[in-house]
Amino acid sequence: MSKIDIGINETDRYAIAEGLKRLLADSYTLYLQTHNFHWNVTGPQFRELHLMFEEHYTELAIAVDDVAERIRTLDVAAPGTYKAFAELSSIREVDGVPSATEMVTLLTQGHEAVVKTCRDALKLAQNANDESTSALVSDRMRVHEKTAWMLRATQAPKGN
C-alpha cells in the first residue's frame, strides 16, 4: 500500500485514531449489552423494550463498522477483540440479568458514556482540521444523545 497523504500529519492521525478506538470499544460494548438485554428482557414492558433494544443494537452494528472503517482510513489498525474492547471501553460489563428497569438505566448510562467519548474524539479531530472524523463523531454523538433521551423517557417521570 502506498504512503497515506490526506492532509493530516501522522501524529494527529494516530491521536485521532486512538480517540476513535475508544469510541469503537464503547460502541461495540454498548452494542453487545443492548443485544443481551434484547434477548433477556422480561416484564410488562417486554414488547416495547424488546423492539426498542433491537432498533438500538441494529443501529449500533452499523456504527461500529463506520467507526472501524474511519480508523482504517487514517491508516491505523482497528481493534477487534473482546480483550482490546474491554481495555479501551468506558462501559463496564454487567453480570447476570438485570430487571427491565435496570436495563433501561444501564443503557441510558451507556449512551451517555458514549456521548462523553465522542466529545473527546471530536476535540482531537477538530484540532487537526479532520472534517471527516468530526462529521462522523458529531453524527454519532447526536444519535447517542437522542437515544439516551428516549430511554430516559420510558422511565417514570420525577415530578416534571
Side-chain angles (χ1 to χ4, degrees), residues 36-74:
N36 174 29
F37 292 172
H38 164 78
W39 291 326
N40 290 300
V41 67
T42 59
Q45 288 185 293
F46 166 78
R47 181 167 172 72
E48 174 189 350
L49 293 176
H50 181 75
L51 294 173
M52 182 170 54
F53 295 166
E54 182 175 10
E55 290 172 9
H56 294 175
Y57 78 70
T58 300
E59 194 280 330
L60 280 162
I62 295 166
V64 164
D65 197 52
D66 289 344
V67 173
E69 288 177 354
R70 183 63 193 160
I71 294 168
R72 292 300 301 137
T73 300
L74 295 170

Side-chain angles (χ1 to χ4, degrees):
M1 212 157 122
S2 62
K3 185 170 169 55
I4 184 172
D5 183 15
I6 60 172
I8 304 170
N9 70 50
E10 184 177 55
T11 301
D12 286 341
R13 279 190 301 105
Y14 285 128
I16 293 163
E18 287 304 313
L20 288 173
K21 286 179 183 181
R22 286 187 268 292
L23 178 56
L24 178 62
D26 277 359
S27 299
Y28 196 88
T29 303
L30 187 58
Y31 161 83
L32 187 60
Q33 189 175 77
T34 305
H35 213 152
N36 174 29
F37 292 172
H38 164 78
W39 291 326
N40 290 300
V41 67
T42 59
Q45 288 185 293
F46 166 78
R47 181 167 172 72
E48 174 189 350
L49 293 176
H50 181 75
L51 294 173
M52 182 170 54
F53 295 166
E54 182 175 10
E55 290 172 9
H56 294 175
Y57 78 70
T58 300
E59 194 280 330
L60 280 162
I62 295 166
V64 164
D65 197 52
D66 289 344
V67 173
E69 288 177 354
R70 183 63 193 160
I71 294 168
R72 292 300 301 137
T73 300
L74 295 170
D75 201 32
V76 175
T81 65
Y82 290 124
K83 180 180 177 185
F85 291 150
E87 291 170 1
L88 291 165
S89 183
S90 66
I91 300 170
R92 298 295 152 228
E93 291 189 36
V94 176
D95 291 326
V97 178
S99 69
T101 301
E102 186 64 16
M103 287 177 181
V104 170
T105 298
L106 289 166
L107 292 176
T108 302
Q109 292 168 351
H111 283 279
E112 290 172 343
V114 176
V115 169
K116 293 173 191 172
T117 301
C118 284
R119 290 190 189 286
D120 292 339
L122 184 59
K123 286 177 194 167
L124 295 168
Q126 289 172 333
N127 289 341
N129 295 315
D130 179 357
E131 292 301 321
S132 296
T133 299
S134 294
L136 171 67
V137 173
S138 180
D139 288 347
R140 295 304 320 143
M141 189 170 14
R142 187 172 50 255
V143 168
H144 290 286
E145 287 173 341
K146 183 176 180 180
T147 303
W149 161 63
M150 295 177 101
L151 286 162
R152 283 191 304 272
T154 69
Q155 297 172 326
K158 295 179 179 167
N160 296 3

